[in-house]
């Protein structure tokens, strides 16, 4: 069950995952990997491998958190009107300003009805926007009927602790995988706690794709079957909205060291700069998910770079 956003700011709600809490708090906040937002989850909830947050081991309730720039708070408070949220399937019953330490917050409570004509039950939701001077948090608690009390879930959502910003090295260390051989690439930023953007070259801010970039991301979800992998990989490649005019040079599935892989090499055009590029996408499949690597390099710099992309990907070790 998900909210289906149609507005740009509401697109953040695509990260509201649905579900699957019990009291008893821990002595210290528990922070999802790489997150600045810590919580005191019930003893039967543990950090999720599927998203940044917690989920009940037996199912029934989740808490997820998305970190945004500090400037996002005021805009989101204005955008998250009852009408806008209702259009996305979230029926708001109450909204109230709250204080999270010294930070301002806005708490929305309500429900998300099941799909019409389906047996999907209505889900209770608690959505908290919290605006710290250095970061904005979008925190979503949700529970199936009778899974948790209003008091428990409200306490879980609003009992958030915000810690100082982590260094880039700390964020990289918290990723669910380790890069054994960076092959000359270096991290620029970590995204959503499960992906990292790397580049090769001295610049942190680039225009016209002056330097190659490589994104590694781990997904924990049911992987496609062997028969579906080629279509799955091509759909993932074409979903990139910053490139167009794809021409596939090579697309193949193979098995190496006991692991199933799929690799695509394609030419394309970078839309913001109209620059010809070469795209390398490698997906490594596992029983419970997959690791996707997407490398982009200017066509006139492809010589040797594709091999470097592959060196990095081959060295990744899932924790």
């Amino acid at each position: 069950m998900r909210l289906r956003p149609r507005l740009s700011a509401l697109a953040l709600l695509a990260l509201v995952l649905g579900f699957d809490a019990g009291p008893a708090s821990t002595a210290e906040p528990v922070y999802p990997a790489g997150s600045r937002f810590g919580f005191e989850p019930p003893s039967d909830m543990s950090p999720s491998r599927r998203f940044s947050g917690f989920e009940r081991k037996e199912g029934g309730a989740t808490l997820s958190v998305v970190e945004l720039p500090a400037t996002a708070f005021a805009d989101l408070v204005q955008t998250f009107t009852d009408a806008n949220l209702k259009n996305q399937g979230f029926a708001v019953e109450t909204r109230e300003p709250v204080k999270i330490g010294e930070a301002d917050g806005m708490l929305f409570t309500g429900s998300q009805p099941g799909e019409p004509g389906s047996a999907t039950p209505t889900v209770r939701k608690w959505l908290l926007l919290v605006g710290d001077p250095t970061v904005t948090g979008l925190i979503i608690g949700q529970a199936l009927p009778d899974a948790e009390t209003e008091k428990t879930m409200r306490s879980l959502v609003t009992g958030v602790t915000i810690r100082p910003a982590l260094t880039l090295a700390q964020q990289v260390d918290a990723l669910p995988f380790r890069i054994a051989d960076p092959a000359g690439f270096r991290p620029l930023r970590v995204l959503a706690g499960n992906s990292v953007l790397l580049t090769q070259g001295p610049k942190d801010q680039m225009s016209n794709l002056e330097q190659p970039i490589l994104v590694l991301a781990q997904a924990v979800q049911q992987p496609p079957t062997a028969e579906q992998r080629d279509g799955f990989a091509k759909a993932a490649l074409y979903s990139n909205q910053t490139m167009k005019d794809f021409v596939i040079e090579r697309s193949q599935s193979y098995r190496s060291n006991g692991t199933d892989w799929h690799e695509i090499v394609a030419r394309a055009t970078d839309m913001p700069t109209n620059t010809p590029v070469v795209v390398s996408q490698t997906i490594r499949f596992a029983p419970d998910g997959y690791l996707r690597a997407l490398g982009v390099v200017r066509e006139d710099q492809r010589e040797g770079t594709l091999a470097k992309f592959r060196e990095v990907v081959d060295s990744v070790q899932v924790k």
Side-chain angles (χ1 to χ4, degrees), residues 280-309:
S280 174
Q281 176 183 268
T282 305
I283 303 176
R284 184 169 73 188
F285 296 100
D288 61 348
Y290 56 88
L291 179 82
R292 179 175 179 238
L294 186 72
V296 182
V297 59
R298 290 168 54 132
E299 192 167 29
D300 58 4
Q301 297 176 348
R302 71 178 288 169
E303 187 68 30
T305 303
L306 299 187
K308 291 294 184 182
F309 286 158

Side-chain angles (χ1 to χ4, degrees), residues 111-122:
S111 61
Q112 180 173 320
E115 295 291 335
S118 74
T120 306
T122 295

Side-chain angles (χ1 to χ4, degrees), residues 269-284:
T269 300
D270 177 64
M271 289 193 292
T273 63
N274 207 36
T275 302
V277 297
V278 177
V279 186
S280 174
Q281 176 183 268
T282 305
I283 303 176
R284 184 169 73 188

Side-chain angles (χ1 to χ4, degrees), residues 122-205:
T122 295
V123 176
R124 294 294 299 166
K125 286 185 178 288
W126 298 260
L127 189 157
L128 174 67
L129 294 173
V130 54
D132 179 84
T134 61
V135 67
T136 295
L138 173 61
I139 299 161
I140 308 100
Q142 44 196 13
L144 293 175
D146 302 322
E148 287 299 337
T149 67
E150 295 274 338
K151 181 178 179 180
T152 296
M153 291 302 294
R154 179 189 172 98
S155 176
L156 177 62
V157 171
T158 61
V160 59
T161 299
I162 306 172
R163 64 180 172 180
L166 277 65
T167 66
L168 180 58
Q170 289 173 320
Q171 295 177 62
V172 170
D173 286 344
L175 285 167
F177 53 82
R178 185 177 77 86
I179 302 171
D181 180 9
F185 282 81
R186 61 187 178 85
L188 283 181
R189 66 181 63 93
V190 170
L191 311 167
N194 68 345
S195 58
V196 60
L197 169 65
L198 306 104
T199 190
Q200 186 182 61
K203 294 187 176 181
D204 291 343
Q205 301 293 331

Side-chain angles (χ1 to χ4, degrees), residues 1-307:
M1 303 170 208
R2 303 188 182 187
L3 298 179
R4 298 293 184 186
R6 300 183 185 123
L7 302 177
S8 58
L10 291 177
L12 299 166
L13 290 177
L15 296 173
V16 177
L17 302 173
F19 339 150
D20 298 301
S25 69
T26 58
E28 297 292 335
V30 179
Y31 295 86
S35 176
R36 293 184 59 188
F37 295 86
F39 303 85
E40 297 186 8
S43 59
D44 61 349
M45 291 184 77
S46 58
S48 175
R49 295 182 62 234
R50 301 184 297 121
F51 56 89
S52 182
F54 303 87
E55 55 188 330
R56 194 176 187 186
K57 300 163 190 172
E58 298 79 12
T62 63
L63 180 141
S64 59
V65 57
V66 180
E67 296 183 24
L68 302 165
T71 53
F73 178 73
D75 178 57
L76 293 178
V77 169
Q78 289 188 349
T79 302
F80 285 5
T81 64
D82 291 357
N84 284 342
L85 292 174
K86 185 175 182 179
N87 286 338
Q88 315 313 315
F90 180 23
V92 176
E93 296 170 5
T94 65
R95 68 164 60 212
E96 58 181 299
V98 294
K99 295 294 287 187
I100 306 298
E102 297 299 316
D104 292 327
M106 183 67 71
L107 177 67
F108 305 80
T109 61
S111 61
Q112 180 173 320
E115 295 291 335
S118 74
T120 306
T122 295
V123 176
R124 294 294 299 166
K125 286 185 178 288
W126 298 260
L127 189 157
L128 174 67
L129 294 173
V130 54
D132 179 84
T134 61
V135 67
T136 295
L138 173 61
I139 299 161
I140 308 100
Q142 44 196 13
L144 293 175
D146 302 322
E148 287 299 337
T149 67
E150 295 274 338
K151 181 178 179 180
T152 296
M153 291 302 294
R154 179 189 172 98
S155 176
L156 177 62
V157 171
T158 61
V160 59
T161 299
I162 306 172
R163 64 180 172 180
L166 277 65
T167 66
L168 180 58
Q170 289 173 320
Q171 295 177 62
V172 170
D173 286 344
L175 285 167
F177 53 82
R178 185 177 77 86
I179 302 171
D181 180 9
F185 282 81
R186 61 187 178 85
L188 283 181
R189 66 181 63 93
V190 170
L191 311 167
N194 68 345
S195 58
V196 60
L197 169 65
L198 306 104
T199 190
Q200 186 182 61
K203 294 187 176 181
D204 291 343
Q205 301 293 331
M206 292 166 281
S207 59
N208 301 321
L209 286 172
E210 298 164 295
Q211 299 171 180
I213 59 173
L214 176 63
V215 178
L216 301 173
Q218 184 183 11
V220 179
Q221 61 187 58
Q222 186 65 37
T225 64
E227 296 75 20
Q228 297 170 327
R229 286 172 185 165
D230 188 69
F232 173 83
K234 289 177 180 176
L237 179 70
Y238 298 150
S239 69
N240 191 311
Q241 298 181 359
T242 66
M243 290 182 281
K244 64 178 182 178
D245 302 333
F246 287 94
V247 177
I248 293 179
E249 295 182 354
R250 183 175 76 251
S251 177
Q252 61 183 3
S253 294
Y254 61 97
R255 189 168 178 83
S256 177
N257 297 323
T259 303
D260 292 326
W261 302 71
H262 190 283
E263 185 173 71
I264 293 178
V265 174
R267 299 189 306 277
T269 300
D270 177 64
M271 289 193 292
T273 63
N274 207 36
T275 302
V277 297
V278 177
V279 186
S280 174
Q281 176 183 268
T282 305
I283 303 176
R284 184 169 73 188
F285 296 100
D288 61 348
Y290 56 88
L291 179 82
R292 179 175 179 238
L294 186 72
V296 182
V297 59
R298 290 168 54 132
E299 192 167 29
D300 58 4
Q301 297 176 348
R302 71 178 288 169
E303 187 68 30
T305 303
L306 299 187

